[in-house]
Amino acid sequence: MLRRRFLAAAGAAALWRPSSAWAVEPWQPPEPFHRAFMARAIQLANTGTARGEGTPYGAVVVRRGRIIGEGWNRSAVKGDPTAHAEIEAIQDAARRLGRRDLAGCVMYASGGRPCPMCEGGAYFASIDRIYHAHDAGDITDAGPPQIMYCR
């Protein structure tokens, strides 16, 4: 009986692994430029789409010239309508920093301006600015996140 418990516990421990999303430091560009961060967000969007995990959106959260959180739309694979790229990136950054306050951070999001839910998430995480683009060479500064109330 004791041996069975030990083997069950050892098997569970062997199967447990920390989430790969935060176990390894995110990819960092050789030079911390706007285009490099946006290119990474677009790359994440393409990766997620190729995997069939959701619509083509990617996002990174940057603090002091380093990517601290990244995500892509995972709505389809998670079965979660809130698993947008921006929300995934905010959650990843908060996990890595061990806090919910992301003041001093900026977000780069592929596509157009983030939806009201994602912009609200950035607002409540205290992200300083949002940049968005369809192409890394055409970045738009959306300014600080806004709260968009339902009408």
Side-chain angles (χ1 to χ4, degrees):
M1 183 69 138
L2 184 58
R3 181 176 176 199
R4 261 192 205 154
R5 284 187 191 163
F6 173 77
L7 291 175
L15 293 176
W16 182 86
R17 288 191 181 27
S19 170
S20 61
W22 52 272
V24 179
E25 183 174 330
W27 174 88
Q28 299 298 326
E31 296 290 327
F33 293 121
H34 284 297
R35 285 182 182 212
F37 296 131
M38 188 58 71
R40 178 61 176 166
I42 292 168
Q43 179 186 29
L44 290 168
N46 293 335
T47 299
T49 303
R51 292 179 181 179
E53 294 185 354
T55 54
Y57 293 98
V60 296
V61 175
V62 176
R63 182 173 184 242
R64 297 182 187 155
R66 295 188 57 78
I67 296 173
I68 60 163
E70 50 186 25
W72 57 91
N73 187 306
R74 300 187 71 214
S75 302
V77 74
K78 284 186 163 184
D80 178 358
T82 66
H84 291 195
E86 298 88 346
I87 299 299
E88 294 281 308
I90 290 167
Q91 290 174 347
D92 187 34
R95 239 186 335 262
R96 288 176 193 278
L97 291 180
R99 63 176 198 246
R100 62 174 271 179
D101 181 10
L102 300 180
C105 297
V106 296
M107 178 185 288
Y108 292 85
S110 70
R113 187 177 191 115
C115 73
M117 176 188 71
C118 293
E119 194 153 355
Y123 176 87
F124 287 112
S126 300
I127 287 178
D128 292 351
R129 295 192 94 62
I130 297 175
Y131 297 95
H132 61 86
H134 292 283
D135 179 279
D138 187 27
I139 299 171
T140 301
D141 180 354
Q146 306 289 315
I147 286 289
M148 307 206 187
Y149 293 101
C150 297
R151 297 169 207 245

